[in-house]
Amino acid sequence: MSEGPLVLPPVRLLPAADLARLALAVPLLDRALRLTKWATPERPVDAMGELLDDDLVRAADELGLSTDEGEEGLAETAQAWGVAVDTGLLAVEIDEEAEESTPVGELAGRAVPGEAYERITGGDPQDVLDIWLSAAETALAEAAAPDFESLREVMEDGDQVLLDELDWDPEEEAEFLDSALANLYALMAMEAAEAADAPGDGSGDGPGSVPLPVLAASLVVPDEMEQPSDAVLEEVTEVMMRLDDHFRLLATSGLLDYQPVDEALIEEAEDEEAPGGAGEELDPEEVSRYGMVRLTPLGVHGMRERLADAGAHAPAIGDLAAGSGTALLEALTHYPDHAARAEAELWLAGRKAADAARELLAAARGDDPEAPGRRLICQQTLTLLGAEAEPALREVLDDRRLGGLARVWLTERGAADVPAPDADMVFWLTIDTLAAQLAADDAPELLSDLVRDLVARHDGFFDAAWRVDHPATADVLEAMGRLHPDRKSAKDARKAAFKARSRTSS
């Protein structure tokens, strides 16, 4: 995975019990469990811990995998056995003397149910998920392994593999696959944010599939490149085909739902440009021929665990529910709107309205650079509270930093006897709100409209604004000078910013 800290959008996870049920139905884990039960109380193995030939055929029959045609059924059975061993569902005990002298394929020890089998049958959802993820890790390692058909072509004297003759670096391929899955996770999280208001959102099923060309382009096309070159588009196609090979191998892992690339297109890959890399609009049905992929709800959980283990910041909705008001406000300044609302609702659900309001208001105080963002999130979160919170809002009416937002909240709810704010409080709240929106890097065109309307509503705005005793006054006025579409107003904003800086430095 990529070096350095990675910050990812928050995702919504299914409850652990639901994820555990999905995990137990995953073919890879289900087969490993069935073989573990079949092997109880013990099953003979060779020096490599693998089933003997006759037992491998019996195991395939146990799994309902046909051995009549080719070796595919036996290969899938051997994979399931390997998963059972790798995850600890089965423990292999090899006789030390046999290990040194017994040829592969002959009896050298036994396999018995392992510690992981006791855990997974204990019914704890987290144990089930941990063991499933271990099985998925095995599948990922196999997907990044060299192509064995190609290996046979570079065998020397029947047993020496010359990997340098095979154009395949397992570590590089594993990193490539990890990067692709991390990008898929991020793309799906961003798509969920954009589609948050669509009907059916919040079901826990997550967003739809990502076209394979889009995922490939995310790995190849630089962010600053507006129009990919022919060479870049050719690389996108090559990456698509690599991903197609990997994702087909992960079909039984439970990580992905994958619609492979149309076989007819594979034959034409050298002559075709990958769609989506240049931002072109194609018919959805045509795009689907190039492959569609999505992380399953289980895959979202698994990738979040892997990304967090690699040092990434990969939040999930609900992480902050038991935390402090300060932690909530600081985190939500970086969340998409729908995720911030969902997280805030969960945080509020476990608290009395007045107590929650007091904690949020206390967390919103401060003159540090992040304080305006905290206050803006505080104001948005307080809109989710009802009349029970009114006493807490009235307690801060005389507070310079909080009195303005408290008046807004009370007025919107039709509360009686709300004192009108003085001009200083109005301008302070205006500067504070703009500082928060600028820090959030909101869309420039929207901020430009806001600045224009704000100045139009207040005669002599800049004559008063530069006097506001707010740490961000000069910065806000400078930004208004950049954003205001009218040249004279922009010039007035820059003059006001200069005055504000002169006042604070004197």
Side-chain angles (χ1 to χ4, degrees):
M1 297 178 184
S2 60
E3 295 182 3
L6 181 64
V7 179
L8 293 153
V11 296
R12 187 184 294 274
L13 300 176
L14 289 178
D18 293 344
L19 289 171
R21 283 191 289 271
L22 291 174
L24 291 172
V26 166
L28 195 68
L29 183 58
D30 174 64
R31 290 174 180 175
L33 277 169
R34 288 162 62 188
L35 286 188
T36 302
K37 295 175 185 177
W38 169 80
T40 303
E42 65 178 59
R43 188 66 56 168
V45 295
D46 65 13
M48 300 296 293
E50 297 177 354
L51 286 169
L52 306 183
D53 290 345
D54 288 345
D55 269 346
L56 182 62
V57 174
R58 295 187 186 98
D61 290 338
E62 178 69 21
L63 297 179
L65 297 173
S66 173
T67 58
D68 295 337
E69 299 179 7
E71 300 293 323
E72 186 174 346
L74 292 178
E76 292 179 352
T77 303
Q79 180 195 37
W81 181 266
V83 168
V85 173
D86 290 343
T87 58
L89 292 172
L90 283 170
V92 172
E93 301 172 356
I94 304 296
D95 180 78
E96 292 184 7
E97 294 183 5
E99 186 175 13
E100 297 177 359
S101 59
T102 305
V104 174
E106 295 187 13
L107 177 63
R110 63 180 190 146
V112 298
E115 180 267 341
Y117 185 65
E118 295 181 10
R119 289 172 55 210
I120 204 169
T121 54
D124 186 322
Q126 193 56 54
D127 283 338
V128 174
L129 292 174
D130 289 345
I131 294 165
W132 166 78
L133 186 54
S134 178
E137 294 282 0
T138 297
L140 287 168
E142 289 183 1
D147 175 62
F148 289 104
E149 289 299 322
S150 299
L151 280 177
R152 292 192 184 96
E153 297 174 5
V154 293
M155 296 285 282
E156 182 176 84
D157 297 330
D159 59 5
Q160 179 64 42
V161 179
L162 303 179
L163 278 177
D164 56 344
E165 291 186 17
L166 181 66
D167 187 19
W168 192 291
D169 182 335
E171 290 186 7
E172 178 183 323
E173 208 63 23
E175 184 175 347
F176 165 76
L177 183 53
D178 281 346
S179 296
L181 292 173
N183 281 19
L184 178 59
Y185 180 96
L187 286 169
M188 289 181 62
M190 288 186 288
E191 181 184 337
E194 293 172 359
D197 295 328
D201 179 68
S203 65
D205 293 333
S209 296
V210 174
L212 196 60
V214 172
L215 179 58
S218 75
L219 294 164
V220 173
V221 182
D223 292 339
E224 65 276 7
M225 181 177 287
E226 295 183 3
Q227 187 66 31
S229 63
D230 290 342
V232 169
L233 290 176
E234 183 177 346
E235 188 177 356
V236 169
T237 299
E238 292 173 356
V239 168
M240 279 175 52
M241 304 320 296
R242 286 173 70 187
L243 291 174
D244 182 67
D245 288 340
H246 287 311
F247 290 165
R248 288 172 188 261
L249 293 173
L250 293 172
T252 62
S253 68
L255 283 167
L256 304 171
D257 284 332
Y258 181 53
Q259 176 183 323
V261 177
D262 189 327
E263 294 286 350
L265 292 176
I266 294 178
E267 299 175 3
E268 305 166 8
E270 294 182 358
D271 302 321
E272 294 282 342
E273 282 189 353
E280 59 201 76
E281 293 292 332
L282 293 178
D283 180 86
E285 191 170 320
E286 181 68 17
V287 170
S288 69
R289 295 184 64 209
Y290 289 83
M292 302 289 288
V293 63
R294 68 187 288 267
L295 291 170
T296 64
L298 192 59
V300 172
H301 159 77
M303 278 306 302
R304 177 175 177 264
E305 292 289 315
R306 299 183 78 237
L307 288 163
D309 287 345
H313 179 57
I317 303 299
D319 282 353
L320 304 169
S324 67
T326 300
L328 180 77
L329 298 186
E330 289 178 347
L332 297 196
T333 57
H334 306 291
Y335 275 32
D337 289 345
H338 82 286
R341 182 184 178 92
E343 189 69 65
E345 288 174 342
L346 291 172
W347 189 89
L348 293 171
R351 294 165 172 82
K352 293 182 178 179
D355 292 342
R358 289 187 181 95
E359 185 172 351
L360 291 172
L361 290 165
R365 286 190 170 90
D367 288 324
D368 57 283
E370 289 74 34
R374 293 199 304 274
R375 282 188 283 272
L376 182 60
I377 294 296
C378 175
Q379 186 172 5
Q380 293 169 350
T381 303
L382 289 172
T383 63
L384 303 175
L385 293 176
E388 299 86 352
E390 183 173 334
L393 273 296
R394 289 192 176 274
E395 290 168 6
V396 299
L397 283 174
D398 295 330
D399 188 299
R400 183 191 65 174
R401 297 173 180 81
L402 304 176
L405 68 86
R407 283 167 170 79
V408 171
W409 188 93
L410 291 165
T411 301
E412 287 178 346
R413 275 154 187 74
D417 302 322
V418 180
D422 58 28
D424 288 345
M425 182 173 285
V426 170
F427 277 95
W428 195 95
L429 180 60
T430 300
I431 294 295
D432 196 58
T433 302
L434 284 172
Q437 291 171 327
L438 288 166
D441 197 24
D442 285 340
E445 63 276 8
L446 296 179
L447 284 174
S448 179
D449 291 343
L450 175 63
V451 166
R452 182 191 61 204
D453 294 344
L454 183 64
V455 174
R457 288 199 306 270
H458 296 275
D459 292 336
F461 178 88
F462 295 116
D463 289 337
W466 71 267
R467 305 173 193 274
V468 174
D469 184 19
H470 190 293
T473 296
D475 291 336
V476 167
L477 291 172
E478 280 186 357
M480 292 180 77
R482 294 192 303 270
L483 291 167
H484 202 293
D486 178 69
R487 292 181 64 182
K488 181 181 183 305
S489 295
K491 185 177 180 180
D492 290 343
R494 290 192 293 271
K495 286 182 178 179
F498 178 79
K499 292 180 179 179
R501 290 203 188 282
S502 298
R503 180 179 60 81
T504 56
S505 61
S506 60

